[in-house]
């Protein structure tokens, strides 16, 4: 847990506090200036007549730069055998204290300017403070100091006494060890099948249109653009739609590939001899994430539809202490990026306590569960068809005939994606169609079970079994199980929890007791 006070304790002041690197004085004042730019513009325009405006602008800018310099003076950190402390603040001084046994991961990142100056930004994941934004972020340390602090917090090296000792003790950002996944140029072919290109294309198109509108530039008057537009206009309507569709697909594929290259260049997943998983990646902004493998509870093999059709997948760690709800890549839980499925499965087997759980066959869903998938698809198709026939244009009337086989195929794919199994002491759950996810979690990470039935599940005799855990999203659900299947899963992983509620045949019962069904 974190603890915030208004001033350091006496014990803290008796020890040496470390400051950030002096080279941050080049970065932080500029960052403060960018953040305060709207306020500076407001001060300039409201700051008196024209003769005084330069003075107001100079004074406000100097004040912002001074605040950036004061960040270096007032920010410090201290590591003791039991806790790590970070103090900051100019007007409001505060000290954040976190026990070292709460440290789950250490994330080193270096944006382009940081890399140019030889600096690193370090974020310490504790499972609580990392959800508050910058609760335990140190920006900026030297590469050697950041690597040394990472090693110390994860229990890989003793605390260095001096800066020279820290430099000597710091290891490289990519240590030697067992390489579980290593980026190859062949992984680039998985780039076009991600959705990042769609988002990037939308952002770039919006920026381009706003820039043209504000600049009052008519693209139609540009020679090259005008020639392309005229050539497309001369085509027939079906050919025009086909050309535009192909052009959009090519643009999205190119942007997705470029994004994959920028984010996952030289991706490497290494297991060090000291039991630390280290992920390093990035072309422009380099990021290195160190995760204590003892905190790893399982893996998720994610297969979005397009990536699955291309024979690819990605692997996400189910780990205590890593950020959730912000995306796997931002939170640092991505262990293998989009890559050929065989390589993803090989890495998952190396990470799991039961290697066979990554690809073991699953128990097929019950007939009632299969019927629910087809019923949902047909009900959705019926409602959409009714809307089209009632309110749609004349040309859309044949669409229900086209959508019917698609609805049936979607239901069949959802049935194929549904399954569960208990492999040794590992719970395996798979579901999904557009994004198929296979979770494999160690039973030791389960802290409780929850049974839930909706109205339609009660009528079908089905139940959703949810395993409560402290890792990942704090729950793992197996949908549409029969009572017997659900009890078999609980008994296989947590027999001690189920035993008090079972009545064995032939066991003596009190005269006024009623038999309990299993």
């Amino acid at each position: 847990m974190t603890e915030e006070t208004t001033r350091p304790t006496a014990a803290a002041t008796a020890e040496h506090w470390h400051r950030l690197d002096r080279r941050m004085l080049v970065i932080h004042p500029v960052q403060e200036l960018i953040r305060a730019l709207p306020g500076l513009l407001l001060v300039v325009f409201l700051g008196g007549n024209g003769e005084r405006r330069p003075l107001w602008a100079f004074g406000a800018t100097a004040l912002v730069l001074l605040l950036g310099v004061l960040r270096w003076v007032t920010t410090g950190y201290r590591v003791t055998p039991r806790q790590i402390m970070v103090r900051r603040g100019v007007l409001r001084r505060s000290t954040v204290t976190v026990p070292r046994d709460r440290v789950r991961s250490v994330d080193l990142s270096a944006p382009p300017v940081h890399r140019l100056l030889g600096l690193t930004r370090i974020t310490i994941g504790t499972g609580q403070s990392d959800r508050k934004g910058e609760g335990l972020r140190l920006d900026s340390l030297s590469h050697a100091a950041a690597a040394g602090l990472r090693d110390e917090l994860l229990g890989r090296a003793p605390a260095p006494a001096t800066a020279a000792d820290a430099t000597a003790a710091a290891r490289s950002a990519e240590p030697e060890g067992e390489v579980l996944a290593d980026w190859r140029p062949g992984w680039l072919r998985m780039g076009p099948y991600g959705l990042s290109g769609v988002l990037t294309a939308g952002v770039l198109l919006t920026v381009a249109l706003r820039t043209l509108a504000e600049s009052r530039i008519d693209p139609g008057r540009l020679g090259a653009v005008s020639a392309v537009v005229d050539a497309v206009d001369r085509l027939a309507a079906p050919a025009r739609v086909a050309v535009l569709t192909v052009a959009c697909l090519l643009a999205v594929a190119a942007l997705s590939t470029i994004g994959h290259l920028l984010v996952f260049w030289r991706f490497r997943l290494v297991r060090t001899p000291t039991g630390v998983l280290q992920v390093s990646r990035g072309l422009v902004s380099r990021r290195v994430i160190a995760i204590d493998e003892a905190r790893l509870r399982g893996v998720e093999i994610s297969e979005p539809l397009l990536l699955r059709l291309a024979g690819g997948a990605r692997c996400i760690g189910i780990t205590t202490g890593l950020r959730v709800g912000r995306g796997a890549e931002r939170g640092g839980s991505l262990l293998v990026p989009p890559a050929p499925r065989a390589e993803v499965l090989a890495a998952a087997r190396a990470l799991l306590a039961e290697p066979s759980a990554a690809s073991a066959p699953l128990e097929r869903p019950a007939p009632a569960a299969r019927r629910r998938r087809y019923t949902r698809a047909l009900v959705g198709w019926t409602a959409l068809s009714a809307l089209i026939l009632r309110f749609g244009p004349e040309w859309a009337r044949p669409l229900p005939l086209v959508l019917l086989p698609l609805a049936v195929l979607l239901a069949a794919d959802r049935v194929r994606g549904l399954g569960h199994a208990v492999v040794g002491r590992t719970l395996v759950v798979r579901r999904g169609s557009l994004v198929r996810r296979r979770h494999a979690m160690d039973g030791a990470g389960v802290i409780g079970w929850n049974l839930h039935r909706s109205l339609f599940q009660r009528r079908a005799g089905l139940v959703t079994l949810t395993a409560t855990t402290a890792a990942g999203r704090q729950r793992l659900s197996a949908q549409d199980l029969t009572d017997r299947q659900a009890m078999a899963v609980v008994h296989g992983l947590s027999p001690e929890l189920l035993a008090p509620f079972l009545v064995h045949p032939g066991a003596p019962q009190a005269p006024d007791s009623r038999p309990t069904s299993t």
Side-chain angles (χ1 to χ4, degrees), residues 63 89 122 128 149 171 184 252 287 308 357 416 425:
L63 179 61
I122 181 169
Q128 291 185 355
L149 181 58
R171 304 183 181 182
R184 298 184 296 103
V252 169
R287 188 177 183 186
R308 187 167 79 244
R416 283 194 298 269
R425 292 284 301 169

Side-chain angles (χ1 to χ4, degrees), residues 154-515:
L154 294 178
R156 297 169 54 193
T162 64
D165 294 337
T167 304
R171 304 183 181 182
S172 71
E174 299 179 359
E176 294 299 326
E178 181 186 0
V179 179
L180 305 182
D182 200 0
W183 188 87
R184 298 184 296 103
W187 290 15
L188 277 177
R189 66 184 179 88
M190 299 297 168
Y193 301 100
L195 295 179
S196 59
V198 179
L199 301 177
T200 305
V203 172
L204 292 178
L205 180 61
T206 303
V207 172
L209 292 178
R210 292 197 61 178
T211 302
L212 292 175
E214 294 177 359
S215 304
R216 298 181 180 181
I217 298 177
D218 185 5
R221 296 181 178 179
L222 301 177
V225 176
S226 178
V228 172
V229 172
D230 292 341
V232 173
D233 286 339
R234 287 194 294 268
L235 298 175
R240 190 184 311 160
V241 172
V243 169
L244 293 177
T245 302
V246 171
C248 291
L249 291 177
L250 291 177
V252 169
L255 292 173
S256 297
T257 303
I258 294 173
H260 181 99
L261 185 65
L262 293 176
V263 175
F264 301 118
W265 170 257
R266 291 179 58 199
F267 180 95
R268 206 169 186 230
L269 173 62
V270 178
R271 174 190 282 138
T272 67
T274 53
V276 174
L277 296 175
Q278 187 155 308
V279 178
S280 56
R281 58 181 172 87
L283 178 60
V284 178
S285 297
R286 193 67 178 165
R287 188 177 183 186
V288 181
I289 306 168
I291 306 170
D292 186 359
E293 192 174 9
R295 309 291 183 179
L296 186 68
R297 296 292 178 261
V299 298
E300 172 193 326
I301 300 174
S302 177
E303 300 174 278
L305 179 60
L306 294 179
L307 188 61
R308 187 167 79 244
L309 294 177
R314 59 179 186 166
C315 182
I316 301 170
I318 303 176
T319 311
T320 58
L322 288 184
R323 288 167 285 183
V324 295
R326 300 181 62 187
E329 297 175 16
R330 292 188 63 187
S333 58
L334 185 69
L335 298 180
V336 182
R341 191 171 186 273
E343 299 186 39
V344 174
L345 290 178
R349 293 189 189 98
L351 293 169
L352 290 172
E354 295 285 346
S356 60
S359 55
L362 306 181
E363 184 174 348
R364 290 178 55 82
R370 297 196 292 268
R371 287 195 298 270
R372 274 173 56 84
R373 268 63 192 168
Y374 285 100
T375 301
R376 287 180 177 180
L378 294 178
V379 168
W381 171 81
T382 302
L384 184 58
S385 299
L387 292 175
I388 292 175
L389 295 177
R390 177 66 178 85
F391 302 103
E394 189 67 26
W395 61 265
R397 297 302 174 90
L399 280 181
L401 298 178
V402 178
L403 295 177
L404 179 58
L406 295 179
V408 174
L409 289 176
L410 177 62
D413 191 58
R414 294 190 65 199
V415 170
R416 283 194 298 269
L418 191 64
H420 72 281
V422 176
V423 182
R425 292 284 301 169
T426 301
L427 172 63
V428 183
V429 175
R430 186 182 66 190
R431 64 177 180 177
S433 176
L434 297 180
V435 179
R436 181 168 296 171
R437 295 181 172 92
R438 180 185 178 113
H439 299 84
M441 187 176 68
D442 190 352
V446 178
I447 59 179
W449 299 92
N450 181 27
L451 297 174
H452 171 75
R453 296 178 191 266
S454 66
L455 174 64
F456 297 104
Q457 283 180 317
R458 286 200 301 270
R459 294 176 60 88
L462 300 174
V463 64
T464 296
L465 176 65
T466 301
T468 306
T469 178
R473 299 184 180 274
Q474 284 78 54
R475 63 185 180 274
L476 179 59
S477 299
Q479 295 182 339
D480 290 345
L481 305 183
T482 63
D483 292 340
R484 184 177 297 276
Q485 289 175 329
M487 292 302 101
V489 171
V490 176
H491 184 68
L493 293 175
S494 306
E496 68 283 355
L497 295 179
L498 193 61
F501 302 96
L502 296 178
V503 175
H504 299 281
Q509 299 182 8
D512 58 343
S513 64
R514 297 181 180 180

